[in-house]
Amino acid sequence: MCSGRSLTDALAAVAPELRPGVQALSFHVARHLGSAQALRRELVSRHLQREVDALLCTALALLAGEKAPLYSAFTVVDQAVEAAKRSPRTRAAAGLINACLRRYLREGHRLLAAVQDDPVAHWNHPAWWIERLRGDYPERWQVPLQAAQQPAPMVLRVNRQRADVHGALESFSAAGLTATALGGNAVELLSPLPVEAIPGFAAGHVSVQGATAQRAAPLLLDGLEDDAPRVLDACAAPGGKTAHLLEIRPAAQVTAIDVDAVRLRRVTDNLSRLGLKADCRVADAAATAGWWDGRLFDAILLDAPCSGSGIVRRHPDIRWLRRATDIDQLAARQDTLLQALWPLLRPGGRLLFCTCSVFHSEGSERVESFLRRNNDATPLPAPGHLLPVLRARGESVGDNGVCDDDGFFYALLEKRRR
């Protein structure tokens, strides 16, 4: 994270048998990095070499992060010191790390109290992120910050072309798994599992997709009378929404585009597992001259590139990887995509604009700006901004109710008939 590399990429290089444990440890550290860094500054005021700083902050996050830590205090200290001794880059600092961690064990309560007035330490998010939420949600800005500290539930989408929710629940029960229907084709597992261990996954009966993300395909397709509409999925990877479109309308003519060839391969792999087909192309959706054949689409799904601020429960490192300057750049890209794709939609057709962001500048502000520039666009009912909250606390946000899942933004626009 500190080097700018995402945990998703780093974990992909870890041996499969070690990956679950490494992921659990890494995610825990990401969720408590703000407090760990503040504690490190209390313990050592001078600048530390990056590898030493990372190791010390990792140990402090494991010691101070929760009331029920992942490992005993003795284990954390012992393993941190041993890890320092094994690397030539940190070996000389093994004694310093040992002294700092043992001091924390003696003075932990005082040290934690000393850093709690620091918003970054208290909320474990960058200061700019906290301030942006305060501006967007003056009365409920704490809600997504609190939710981000807990893992998101594991939610599956049942492939209605091969199974149904009732049958999926029965297969889970037979396998000793507890699952709950959430409505539509969504099912939540009580305990997360590797995908290869999920009954029906390999056979294409179910896919992993958050409940909030499962709103996209029905929002776009409900109300379209054509059984075989021409649909564009403009930023398709990794393909969950592409597949859902085809599960709802098997005869739909779906064109799935993504600028990243590696990520697009995930789309084709997912479709193959599910027994679905789409026209998948590597292209920049905004550069329409390079891929569009001139035929108008009945529906367009634009799941635009964004900060990912709504999926921090699933990817806790995002908060530390993003910079405040990223948001304006991403918003500009969203504007470009909206403006480029709107002419490809037939009169009477629909465009669904969505982002997995909770920031207004990547949601409502983009749509308001688009509507000012395009007088042939009519907004239709859509959820708008959805904030991730914790169901166990009975939280709700605005008119959107409880959303114990990812944060998202949805806007549905119809092109007026001339």
Side-chain angles (χ1 to χ4, degrees):
M1 291 180 293
C2 297
S3 63
R5 187 183 181 193
S6 76
L7 284 177
T8 300
D9 293 340
L11 289 167
V14 176
E17 65 273 15
L18 299 176
R19 197 171 299 152
V22 173
Q23 177 173 303
L25 186 150
S26 302
F27 279 19
H28 179 97
V29 172
R31 291 188 176 105
H32 300 94
L33 185 59
S35 57
Q37 289 177 330
L39 288 168
R40 198 275 294 160
R41 290 191 295 270
E42 289 288 318
L43 292 164
V44 187
S45 59
R46 65 182 174 87
H47 176 76
L48 296 178
Q49 182 184 350
R50 188 176 71 179
E51 290 83 1
V52 175
D53 184 55
L55 181 54
L56 182 53
C57 285
T58 295
L60 287 168
L62 293 171
L63 289 172
E66 294 181 348
K67 294 179 181 179
L70 293 178
Y71 307 100
S72 71
F74 174 81
T75 299
V76 172
V77 175
D78 179 67
Q79 293 300 309
V81 173
E82 285 302 310
K85 292 177 179 178
R86 292 180 186 180
S87 171
R89 295 186 176 183
T90 56
R91 189 174 298 138
L96 171 67
I97 290 173
N98 182 54
C100 287
L101 295 179
R102 292 192 178 279
R103 180 185 166 196
Y104 175 78
L105 295 184
R106 296 192 305 271
E107 305 176 28
H109 291 297
R110 182 190 67 78
L111 291 167
L112 283 170
V115 303
Q116 281 308 294
D117 287 339
D118 177 356
V120 177
H122 182 80
W123 296 109
N124 285 289
H125 283 73
W128 69 265
W129 189 300
I130 298 168
E131 288 308 305
R132 187 173 284 269
L133 287 175
R134 288 174 68 102
D136 286 348
Y137 307 97
E139 297 181 358
R140 306 302 298 277
W141 59 272
Q142 305 99 325
V143 171
L145 295 172
Q146 293 165 343
Q149 295 307 96
Q150 301 298 324
M154 187 171 199
V155 180
L156 308 176
R157 185 189 71 248
V158 178
N159 179 0
R160 64 168 70 179
Q161 298 303 313
R162 294 190 172 183
D164 58 43
V165 170
H166 179 72
L169 291 175
E170 287 188 337
S171 68
F172 296 150
S173 179
L177 304 174
T178 301
T180 305
L182 300 179
N185 300 112
V187 172
E188 181 180 331
L189 291 181
L190 179 64
S191 301
L193 288 174
V195 292
E196 58 270 16
I198 299 174
F201 181 86
H205 293 180
V206 296
S207 298
V208 178
Q209 188 181 38
T212 315
Q214 290 188 42
R215 298 189 183 204
L219 266 171
L220 182 62
L221 294 178
D222 286 355
L224 283 181
E225 297 178 358
D226 193 343
D227 289 334
R230 296 193 73 243
V231 181
L232 171 65
D233 189 350
C235 302
K241 297 180 183 68
T242 314
H244 199 190
L245 290 167
L246 288 162
E247 289 170 7
I248 294 175
R249 296 281 179 95
Q253 306 166 63
V254 175
T255 300
I257 290 178
D258 201 272
V259 72
D260 188 325
V262 175
R263 283 171 52 81
L264 190 67
R265 180 65 184 175
R266 293 181 61 190
V267 179
T268 58
D269 289 347
N270 277 327
L271 293 177
S272 177
R273 178 180 60 84
L274 296 166
L276 304 169
K277 291 183 179 181
D279 179 11
C280 297
R281 307 182 189 182
V282 179
D284 179 352
T288 58
W291 59 266
W292 184 44
D293 62 7
R295 294 188 297 159
L296 297 176
F297 290 96
D298 301 300
I300 297 175
L301 172 59
L302 175 53
D303 186 3
C306 70
S307 64
S309 58
I311 56 173
V312 183
R313 293 179 70 181
R314 300 184 192 280
H315 301 279
D317 57 322
I318 285 176
R319 68 188 89 176
W320 307 114
L321 293 173
R322 289 295 181 201
R323 300 291 179 265
T325 53
D326 294 342
I327 308 305
D328 288 343
Q329 296 172 6
L330 288 161
R333 176 62 174 167
Q334 293 155 16
D335 286 342
T336 297
L337 285 163
L338 275 167
Q339 206 61 41
L341 296 175
W342 187 248
L344 280 57
L345 186 67
R346 69 164 173 82
R350 296 177 170 188
L351 183 149
L352 180 65
F353 173 69
C354 56
T355 63
C356 53
S357 175
V358 295
F359 299 143
H360 285 183
S361 58
E362 296 184 288
S364 56
E365 291 178 12
R366 300 280 57 76
V367 173
E368 290 165 5
S369 176
F370 178 80
L371 291 173
R372 286 194 296 268
R373 298 193 306 271
N374 295 271
N375 58 15
D376 59 345
T378 301
L380 299 177
H385 284 283
L386 294 165
L387 291 186
V389 297
L390 299 177
R391 183 188 301 139
R393 297 186 183 183
E395 296 279 9
S396 63
V397 178
D399 298 328
N400 293 320
V402 173
C403 171
D404 190 18
D405 197 66
D406 298 325
F408 251 88
F409 173 79
Y410 284 112
L412 184 61
L413 306 174
E414 184 176 72
K415 181 175 282 190
R416 294 196 186 100
R417 301 178 188 273
R418 298 188 185 278

mmCIF file of all heavy atoms in Angstrom, residues 24-60:
data_model
loop_
_atom_site.group_PDB
_atom_site.id
_atom_site.type_symbol
_atom_site.label_atom_id
_atom_site.label_comp_id
_atom_site.label_asym_id
_atom_site.label_seq_id
_atom_site.Cartn_x
_atom_site.Cartn_y
_atom_site.Cartn_z
ATOM 1 N N ALA A 24 -6.144 -12.044 5.228
ATOM 2 C CA ALA A 24 -6.770 -11.649 6.494
ATOM 3 C C ALA A 24 -5.871 -10.676 7.255
ATOM 4 O O ALA A 24 -6.340 -9.650 7.777
ATOM 5 C CB ALA A 24 -7.066 -12.882 7.338
ATOM 6 N N LEU A 25 -4.576 -10.980 7.308
ATOM 7 C CA LEU A 25 -3.643 -10.108 8.018
ATOM 8 C C LEU A 25 -3.538 -8.749 7.313
ATOM 9 O O LEU A 25 -3.592 -7.699 7.966
ATOM 10 C CB LEU A 25 -2.277 -10.786 8.095
ATOM 11 C CG LEU A 25 -1.186 -10.100 8.911
ATOM 12 C CD1 LEU A 25 -0.226 -11.136 9.493
ATOM 13 C CD2 LEU A 25 -0.388 -9.101 8.074
ATOM 14 N N SER A 26 -3.404 -8.764 5.988
ATOM 15 C CA SER A 26 -3.237 -7.521 5.228
ATOM 16 C C SER A 26 -4.460 -6.626 5.334
ATOM 17 O O SER A 26 -4.348 -5.409 5.498
ATOM 18 C CB SER A 26 -2.945 -7.837 3.760
ATOM 19 O OG SER A 26 -1.786 -8.630 3.622
ATOM 20 N N PHE A 27 -5.643 -7.226 5.227
ATOM 21 C CA PHE A 27 -6.872 -6.440 5.314
ATOM 22 C C PHE A 27 -7.021 -5.832 6.700
ATOM 23 O O PHE A 27 -7.470 -4.686 6.840
ATOM 24 C CB PHE A 27 -8.083 -7.316 4.981
ATOM 25 C CG PHE A 27 -8.313 -7.509 3.499
ATOM 26 C CD1 PHE A 27 -7.308 -7.279 2.578
ATOM 27 C CD2 PHE A 27 -9.544 -7.935 3.034
ATOM 28 C CE1 PHE A 27 -7.509 -7.459 1.216
ATOM 29 C CE2 PHE A 27 -9.766 -8.108 1.675
ATOM 30 C CZ PHE A 27 -8.748 -7.873 0.763
ATOM 31 N N HIS A 28 -6.665 -6.585 7.721
ATOM 32 C CA HIS A 28 -6.736 -6.058 9.087
ATOM 33 C C HIS A 28 -5.825 -4.839 9.228
ATOM 34 O O HIS A 28 -6.217 -3.815 9.802
ATOM 35 C CB HIS A 28 -6.326 -7.147 10.078
ATOM 36 C CG HIS A 28 -6.337 -6.702 11.502
ATOM 37 N ND1 HIS A 28 -7.407 -6.937 12.355
ATOM 38 C CD2 HIS A 28 -5.424 -6.014 12.228
ATOM 39 C CE1 HIS A 28 -7.132 -6.426 13.538
ATOM 40 N NE2 HIS A 28 -5.935 -5.863 13.490
ATOM 41 N N VAL A 29 -4.616 -4.948 8.713
ATOM 42 C CA VAL A 29 -3.671 -3.833 8.802
ATOM 43 C C VAL A 29 -4.202 -2.622 8.047
ATOM 44 O O VAL A 29 -4.121 -1.483 8.529
ATOM 45 C CB VAL A 29 -2.289 -4.254 8.271
ATOM 46 C CG1 VAL A 29 -1.359 -3.047 8.174
ATOM 47 C CG2 VAL A 29 -1.685 -5.328 9.168
ATOM 48 N N ALA A 30 -4.757 -2.842 6.859
ATOM 49 C CA ALA A 30 -5.295 -1.724 6.074
ATOM 50 C C ALA A 30 -6.413 -1.018 6.820
ATOM 51 O O ALA A 30 -6.549 0.209 6.741
ATOM 52 C CB ALA A 30 -5.796 -2.226 4.720
ATOM 53 N N ARG A 31 -7.225 -1.769 7.549
ATOM 54 C CA ARG A 31 -8.343 -1.170 8.276
ATOM 55 C C ARG A 31 -7.894 -0.407 9.520
ATOM 56 O O ARG A 31 -8.689 0.351 10.086
ATOM 57 C CB ARG A 31 -9.352 -2.259 8.661
ATOM 58 C CG ARG A 31 -10.092 -2.853 7.473
ATOM 59 C CD ARG A 31 -11.219 -3.774 7.910
ATOM 60 N NE ARG A 31 -11.964 -4.246 6.736
ATOM 61 C CZ ARG A 31 -11.868 -5.481 6.230
ATOM 62 N NH1 ARG A 31 -11.100 -6.382 6.822
ATOM 63 N NH2 ARG A 31 -12.557 -5.819 5.146
ATOM 64 N N HIS A 32 -6.657 -0.589 9.949
ATOM 65 C CA HIS A 32 -6.185 0.068 11.167
ATOM 66 C C HIS A 32 -4.865 0.796 10.952
ATOM 67 O O HIS A 32 -4.161 1.092 11.914
ATOM 68 C CB HIS A 32 -6.050 -0.960 12.296
ATOM 69 C CG HIS A 32 -7.345 -1.642 12.623
ATOM 70 N ND1 HIS A 32 -7.714 -2.831 12.066
ATOM 71 C CD2 HIS A 32 -8.380 -1.260 13.415
ATOM 72 C CE1 HIS A 32 -8.915 -3.183 12.511
ATOM 73 N NE2 HIS A 32 -9.335 -2.248 13.326
ATOM 74 N N LEU A 33 -4.562 1.103 9.700
ATOM 75 C CA LEU A 33 -3.276 1.711 9.394
ATOM 76 C C LEU A 33 -3.170 3.137 9.933
ATOM 77 O O LEU A 33 -2.090 3.568 10.347
ATOM 78 C CB LEU A 33 -3.046 1.706 7.880
ATOM 79 C CG LEU A 33 -1.684 2.198 7.400
ATOM 80 C CD1 LEU A 33 -0.572 1.347 7.993
ATOM 81 C CD2 LEU A 33 -1.617 2.189 5.878
ATOM 82 N N GLY A 34 -4.270 3.893 9.942
ATOM 83 C CA GLY A 34 -4.225 5.261 10.447
ATOM 84 C C GLY A 34 -3.815 5.315 11.901
ATOM 85 O O GLY A 34 -2.935 6.104 12.292
ATOM 86 N N SER A 35 -4.418 4.465 12.731
ATOM 87 C CA SER A 35 -4.058 4.449 14.153
ATOM 88 C C SER A 35 -2.648 3.898 14.347
ATOM 89 O O SER A 35 -1.891 4.376 15.203
ATOM 90 C CB SER A 35 -5.072 3.633 14.960
ATOM 91 O OG SER A 35 -5.178 2.318 14.454
ATOM 92 N N ALA A 36 -2.272 2.898 13.532
ATOM 93 C CA ALA A 36 -0.932 2.319 13.662
ATOM 94 C C ALA A 36 0.146 3.348 13.333
ATOM 95 O O ALA A 36 1.171 3.439 14.024
ATOM 96 C CB ALA A 36 -0.802 1.104 12.753
ATOM 97 N N GLN A 37 -0.060 4.132 12.291
ATOM 98 C CA GLN A 37 0.933 5.145 11.923
ATOM 99 C C GLN A 37 1.033 6.236 12.983
ATOM 100 O O GLN A 37 2.132 6.729 13.279
ATOM 101 C CB GLN A 37 0.574 5.746 10.564
ATOM 102 C CG GLN A 37 0.795 4.782 9.405
ATOM 103 C CD GLN A 37 0.374 5.357 8.069
ATOM 104 O OE1 GLN A 37 -0.548 6.179 7.990
ATOM 105 N NE2 GLN A 37 1.026 4.937 7.007
ATOM 106 N N ALA A 38 -0.109 6.605 13.565
ATOM 107 C CA ALA A 38 -0.074 7.611 14.637
ATOM 108 C C ALA A 38 0.662 7.075 15.857
ATOM 109 O O ALA A 38 1.441 7.796 16.500
ATOM 110 C CB ALA A 38 -1.497 8.021 15.002
ATOM 111 N N LEU A 39 0.444 5.811 16.194
ATOM 112 C CA LEU A 39 1.153 5.204 17.319
ATOM 113 C C LEU A 39 2.655 5.120 17.041
ATOM 114 O O LEU A 39 3.471 5.361 17.931
ATOM 115 C CB LEU A 39 0.594 3.802 17.584
ATOM 116 C CG LEU A 39 -0.804 3.751 18.206
ATOM 117 C CD1 LEU A 39 -1.355 2.342 18.150
ATOM 118 C CD2 LEU A 39 -0.772 4.252 19.651
ATOM 119 N N ARG A 40 3.013 4.787 15.814
ATOM 120 C CA ARG A 40 4.425 4.717 15.460
ATOM 121 C C ARG A 40 5.099 6.074 15.663
ATOM 122 O O ARG A 40 6.221 6.162 16.182
ATOM 123 C CB ARG A 40 4.575 4.256 14.006
ATOM 124 C CG ARG A 40 5.972 3.740 13.673
ATOM 125 C CD ARG A 40 6.929 4.846 13.298
ATOM 126 N NE ARG A 40 6.558 5.497 12.062
ATOM 127 C CZ ARG A 40 6.968 6.696 11.707
ATOM 128 N NH1 ARG A 40 7.736 7.412 12.506
ATOM 129 N NH2 ARG A 40 6.594 7.227 10.569
ATOM 130 N N ARG A 41 4.400 7.152 15.312
ATOM 131 C CA ARG A 41 4.972 8.490 15.507
ATOM 132 C C ARG A 41 5.134 8.819 16.990
ATOM 133 O O ARG A 41 6.052 9.545 17.379
ATOM 134 C CB ARG A 41 4.102 9.541 14.811
ATOM 135 C CG ARG A 41 4.173 9.469 13.289
ATOM 136 C CD ARG A 41 3.523 10.686 12.655
ATOM 137 N NE ARG A 41 2.096 10.754 12.914
ATOM 138 C CZ ARG A 41 1.167 10.203 12.123
ATOM 139 N NH1 ARG A 41 1.539 9.536 11.034
ATOM 140 N NH2 ARG A 41 -0.119 10.315 12.417
ATOM 141 N N GLU A 42 4.245 8.310 17.834
ATOM 142 C CA GLU A 42 4.388 8.512 19.274
ATOM 143 C C GLU A 42 5.598 7.754 19.814
ATOM 144 O O GLU A 42 6.275 8.221 20.733
ATOM 145 C CB GLU A 42 3.129 8.027 19.998
ATOM 146 C CG GLU A 42 1.900 8.892 19.791
ATOM 147 C CD GLU A 42 2.007 10.215 20.537
ATOM 148 O OE1 GLU A 42 2.464 10.217 21.691
ATOM 149 O OE2 GLU A 42 1.632 11.249 19.942
ATOM 150 N N LEU A 43 5.866 6.590 19.215
ATOM 151 C CA LEU A 43 6.949 5.745 19.705
ATOM 152 C C LEU A 43 8.306 6.137 19.132
ATOM 153 O O LEU A 43 9.329 6.018 19.807
ATOM 154 C CB LEU A 43 6.651 4.277 19.356
ATOM 155 C CG LEU A 43 5.469 3.650 20.099
ATOM 156 C CD1 LEU A 43 5.026 2.369 19.418
ATOM 157 C CD2 LEU A 43 5.841 3.382 21.554
ATOM 158 N N VAL A 44 8.308 6.568 17.863
ATOM 159 C CA VAL A 44 9.563 6.942 17.193
ATOM 160 C C VAL A 44 9.289 8.199 16.387
ATOM 161 O O VAL A 44 8.580 8.155 15.375
ATOM 162 C CB VAL A 44 10.070 5.830 16.245
ATOM 163 C CG1 VAL A 44 11.462 6.196 15.709
ATOM 164 C CG2 VAL A 44 10.087 4.488 16.929
ATOM 165 N N SER A 45 9.842 9.299 16.777
ATOM 166 C CA SER A 45 9.570 10.559 16.086
ATOM 167 C C SER A 45 10.424 10.734 14.835
ATOM 168 O O SER A 45 10.045 11.453 13.912
ATOM 169 C CB SER A 45 9.809 11.739 17.035
ATOM 170 O OG SER A 45 11.151 11.729 17.513
ATOM 171 N N ARG A 46 11.558 10.075 14.772
ATOM 172 C CA ARG A 46 12.434 10.264 13.619
ATOM 173 C C ARG A 46 11.956 9.442 12.419
ATOM 174 O O ARG A 46 11.173 8.491 12.553
ATOM 175 C CB ARG A 46 13.871 9.885 13.978
ATOM 176 C CG ARG A 46 14.092 8.416 14.323
ATOM 177 C CD ARG A 46 15.548 8.183 14.708
ATOM 178 N NE ARG A 46 15.797 6.837 15.186
ATOM 179 C CZ ARG A 46 16.082 5.803 14.397
ATOM 180 N NH1 ARG A 46 16.119 5.956 13.079
ATOM 181 N NH2 ARG A 46 16.317 4.606 14.925
ATOM 182 N N HIS A 47 12.451 9.801 11.242
ATOM 183 C CA HIS A 47 12.112 9.097 10.010
ATOM 184 C C HIS A 47 12.708 7.693 10.026
ATOM 185 O O HIS A 47 13.864 7.502 10.413
ATOM 186 C CB HIS A 47 12.637 9.869 8.798
ATOM 187 C CG HIS A 47 12.410 9.157 7.496
ATOM 188 N ND1 HIS A 47 11.176 9.106 6.878
ATOM 189 C CD2 HIS A 47 13.272 8.465 6.702
ATOM 190 C CE1 HIS A 47 11.286 8.420 5.766
ATOM 191 N NE2 HIS A 47 12.541 8.019 5.627
ATOM 192 N N LEU A 48 11.910 6.719 9.604
ATOM 193 C CA LEU A 48 12.378 5.340 9.524
ATOM 194 C C LEU A 48 12.454 4.898 8.069
ATOM 195 O O LEU A 48 11.687 5.364 7.217
ATOM 196 C CB LEU A 48 11.435 4.405 10.276
ATOM 197 C CG LEU A 48 11.301 4.599 11.790
ATOM 198 C CD1 LEU A 48 10.299 3.611 12.361
ATOM 199 C CD2 LEU A 48 12.658 4.433 12.485
ATOM 200 N N GLN A 49 13.348 3.978 7.785
ATOM 201 C CA GLN A 49 13.405 3.360 6.469
ATOM 202 C C GLN A 49 12.042 2.738 6.160
ATOM 203 O O GLN A 49 11.363 2.214 7.051
ATOM 204 C CB GLN A 49 14.502 2.294 6.459
ATOM 205 C CG GLN A 49 14.707 1.611 5.128
ATOM 206 C CD GLN A 49 15.746 0.497 5.226
ATOM 207 O OE1 GLN A 49 16.428 0.363 6.237
ATOM 208 N NE2 GLN A 49 15.837 -0.296 4.177
ATOM 209 N N ARG A 50 11.639 2.774 4.894
ATOM 210 C CA ARG A 50 10.278 2.366 4.538
ATOM 211 C C ARG A 50 9.945 0.951 5.009
ATOM 212 O O ARG A 50 8.858 0.703 5.558
ATOM 213 C CB ARG A 50 10.090 2.448 3.018
ATOM 214 C CG ARG A 50 8.647 2.219 2.570
ATOM 215 C CD ARG A 50 8.496 2.413 1.087
ATOM 216 N NE ARG A 50 9.131 1.322 0.338
ATOM 217 C CZ ARG A 50 9.130 1.246 -0.987
ATOM 218 N NH1 ARG A 50 8.577 2.227 -1.701
ATOM 219 N NH2 ARG A 50 9.711 0.236 -1.611
ATOM 220 N N GLU A 51 10.859 0.003 4.810
ATOM 221 C CA GLU A 51 10.576 -1.381 5.194
ATOM 222 C C GLU A 51 10.443 -1.517 6.706
ATOM 223 O O GLU A 51 9.593 -2.279 7.202
ATOM 224 C CB GLU A 51 11.671 -2.308 4.673
ATOM 225 C CG GLU A 51 11.687 -2.509 3.178
ATOM 226 C CD GLU A 51 12.395 -1.408 2.431
ATOM 227 O OE1 GLU A 51 12.909 -0.464 3.086
ATOM 228 O OE2 GLU A 51 12.461 -1.477 1.194
ATOM 229 N N VAL A 52 11.253 -0.777 7.446
ATOM 230 C CA VAL A 52 11.172 -0.810 8.914
ATOM 231 C C VAL A 52 9.849 -0.207 9.376
ATOM 232 O O VAL A 52 9.162 -0.751 10.251
ATOM 233 C CB VAL A 52 12.361 -0.052 9.536
ATOM 234 C CG1 VAL A 52 12.219 0.032 11.055
ATOM 235 C CG2 VAL A 52 13.672 -0.716 9.144
ATOM 236 N N ASP A 53 9.497 0.925 8.785
ATOM 237 C CA ASP A 53 8.242 1.581 9.132
ATOM 238 C C ASP A 53 7.055 0.675 8.849
ATOM 239 O O ASP A 53 6.121 0.557 9.654
ATOM 240 C CB ASP A 53 8.122 2.887 8.340
ATOM 241 C CG ASP A 53 6.885 3.682 8.710
ATOM 242 O OD1 ASP A 53 6.705 3.968 9.903
ATOM 243 O OD2 ASP A 53 6.096 4.001 7.801
ATOM 244 N N ALA A 54 7.072 -0.001 7.680
ATOM 245 C CA ALA A 54 5.962 -0.888 7.308
ATOM 246 C C ALA A 54 5.831 -2.049 8.281
ATOM 247 O O ALA A 54 4.717 -2.411 8.702
ATOM 248 C CB ALA A 54 6.166 -1.398 5.886
ATOM 249 N N LEU A 55 6.957 -2.641 8.669
ATOM 250 C CA LEU A 55 6.913 -3.775 9.597
ATOM 251 C C LEU A 55 6.422 -3.338 10.973
ATOM 252 O O LEU A 55 5.587 -4.015 11.593
ATOM 253 C CB LEU A 55 8.302 -4.411 9.696
ATOM 254 C CG LEU A 55 8.436 -5.632 10.617
ATOM 255 C CD1 LEU A 55 7.425 -6.707 10.248
ATOM 256 C CD2 LEU A 55 9.863 -6.177 10.535
ATOM 257 N N LEU A 56 6.893 -2.205 11.456
ATOM 258 C CA LEU A 56 6.474 -1.723 12.768
ATOM 259 C C LEU A 56 4.993 -1.354 12.766
ATOM 260 O O LEU A 56 4.256 -1.699 13.702
ATOM 261 C CB LEU A 56 7.324 -0.521 13.177
ATOM 262 C CG LEU A 56 7.059 0.083 14.557
ATOM 263 C CD1 LEU A 56 7.114 -0.978 15.645
ATOM 264 C CD2 LEU A 56 8.064 1.198 14.850
ATOM 265 N N CYS A 57 4.537 -0.686 11.713
ATOM 266 C CA CYS A 57 3.118 -0.313 11.642
ATOM 267 C C CYS A 57 2.222 -1.543 11.512
ATOM 268 O O CYS A 57 1.119 -1.580 12.061
ATOM 269 C CB CYS A 57 2.884 0.635 10.468
ATOM 270 S SG CYS A 57 3.473 2.312 10.760
ATOM 271 N N THR A 58 2.693 -2.560 10.789
ATOM 272 C CA THR A 58 1.932 -3.807 10.684
ATOM 273 C C THR A 58 1.732 -4.427 12.060
ATOM 274 O O THR A 58 0.621 -4.824 12.432
ATOM 275 C CB THR A 58 2.655 -4.799 9.755
ATOM 276 O OG1 THR A 58 2.673 -4.276 8.427
ATOM 277 C CG2 THR A 58 1.964 -6.159 9.751
ATOM 278 N N ALA A 59 2.801 -4.504 12.828
ATOM 279 C CA ALA A 59 2.703 -5.087 14.167
ATOM 280 C C ALA A 59 1.802 -4.259 15.071
ATOM 281 O O ALA A 59 0.976 -4.812 15.829
ATOM 282 C CB ALA A 59 4.102 -5.204 14.775
ATOM 283 N N LEU A 60 1.903 -2.935 14.990
ATOM 284 C CA LEU A 60 1.062 -2.074 15.825
ATOM 285 C C LEU A 60 -0.409 -2.200 15.441
ATOM 286 O O LEU A 60 -1.291 -2.186 16.310
ATOM 287 C CB LEU A 60 1.521 -0.625 15.697
ATOM 288 C CG LEU A 60 2.847 -0.301 16.394
ATOM 289 C CD1 LEU A 60 3.358 1.071 15.967
ATOM 290 C CD2 LEU A 60 2.694 -0.364 17.918
#
